[in-house]
Amino acid sequence: MTASPLITHNAGEPPLPLVPHPVSLHTIRFTGSGSEYFRIWIVNLLLMLVTLGLYYPWAKVRKLQYFYGNTVVISHPLAFHGNPKQMLRGYLLVSLLMVLYAVAGKVSPEAGSVAALILAGIWPALMRASLQFRLAQTSWRGLRFHFNGSLKDAYMVFLKPIVVGIGVGLLSVILAVMLPRALAGVVLGLVMVVGLGSLGPYMLWRLKRYQHQHYALGQLQTSFKAKFGDVLRIFLKTGLLTVAALIGIGVIVAVLAATMGVSLAGQRPDARTLMSWGNVIVGVVAVSYLLITQVIQGPYFSSRMQNLIWTQTGNRLVRFKSHLGWGHMARLSLQNWLLIVLTLGLYWPFAAVALARARLQAIVIHTRQDPDLLLAQASRNTSDATGDLAADLMGIDVGL
């Protein structure tokens, strides 16, 4: 008979045994409503206009407090404790950096390049500070979350893809020199498409791995098991889906052009007639493009990516499963965009609430231990250092 596993504990305190029991499932509920959030959204919008954007930290806090407070996890809502005055410092810092970058670009291309390099050099540190701040200001049942990612790993998220990109460039130069001219073009094209086309998925995978393997509540820290190949497959399938949709648009345009040719056969159409047909074709292309990006491509990519990322996040005691459907996301996206257009943008907060509900309620939490026992031990093992860190952070929040 094996002994019961124990959670780590503070010195001098008896450990609490984790009594094994079957996996229990817990759904996430989102209780917010569009009408409630509309009132918050419209006030935030008006005050941001009046203050020329300076109200943004207060608007962000009000938004996060509403969405977090209506996210119910295992019968208890999340809470956001961010201080707007603290967030204002981070907001002003990031705004100043962006203004300096824009001014430098207008002074000279060289100054713009230097400013871009400086901004890129500090961006990983800003990203890490943002993740630390957001997690440190988020709590569940009174216990703060925290983010354990190191500054070195934050820089490696971006440095490794950059090294890969440089390697692809060097390989292209070597092949161009060594291969016959007739063959070099084909080989170089393949190397550039495969190598550079993989950089985006590679960087996204590294970013999500950095985020999702460093979330923690008490002594419970998540791991992330998704591989680069899993992310790359989603990109490839999205690309193939987009190509198929573009072919469909091409067929529709060809049919319209043929119809126009038949209807105008034997005639000498005036400019107004040609313009009318041109407007029809342009309108069809524009609507088709929106359908591809907002109803086909976007919902497919976001649903598949959420399912992959959250299903591969967790640890031996707590795991997540996401079941977000592409069809449901496509219908929701179509509905949201139609109503946003028809209401001249006033449906936006209702769309945000509907999207949050769909994403959150598609996630199921799998626990192998009693949540009360885990929380009790996590609370005993959490020192005041986490609270001190939350108070000392600059308040940078870049929305990650």
Side-chain angles (χ1 to χ4, degrees), residues 74-95:
I74 314 181
S75 302
H76 294 272
L78 299 176
F80 183 73
H81 308 276
N83 185 334
K85 294 181 180 179
Q86 188 181 25
M87 294 176 68
L88 180 62
R89 292 181 300 176
Y91 173 64
L92 291 176
L93 173 62
V94 175
S95 299

Side-chain angles (χ1 to χ4, degrees), residues 240-281:
L240 291 174
L241 190 64
T242 303
V243 169
L246 289 174
I247 292 174
I249 289 180
V251 171
I252 293 173
V253 171
V255 170
L256 284 174
T259 303
M260 181 181 70
V262 171
S263 64
L264 299 179
Q267 303 180 25
R268 298 186 63 183
D270 55 19
R272 179 177 297 180
T273 302
L274 291 175
M275 184 174 294
S276 298
W277 275 102
N279 289 337
V280 170
I281 293 176

Side-chain angles (χ1 to χ4, degrees), residues 323-344:
H323 307 278
L324 188 59
W326 173 28
H328 176 59
M329 286 293 289
R331 290 190 298 272
L332 181 60
S333 180
L334 179 61
Q335 170 188 299
N336 285 345
W337 278 107
L338 285 175
L339 291 174
I340 287 172
V341 171
L342 292 175
T343 61
L344 302 179

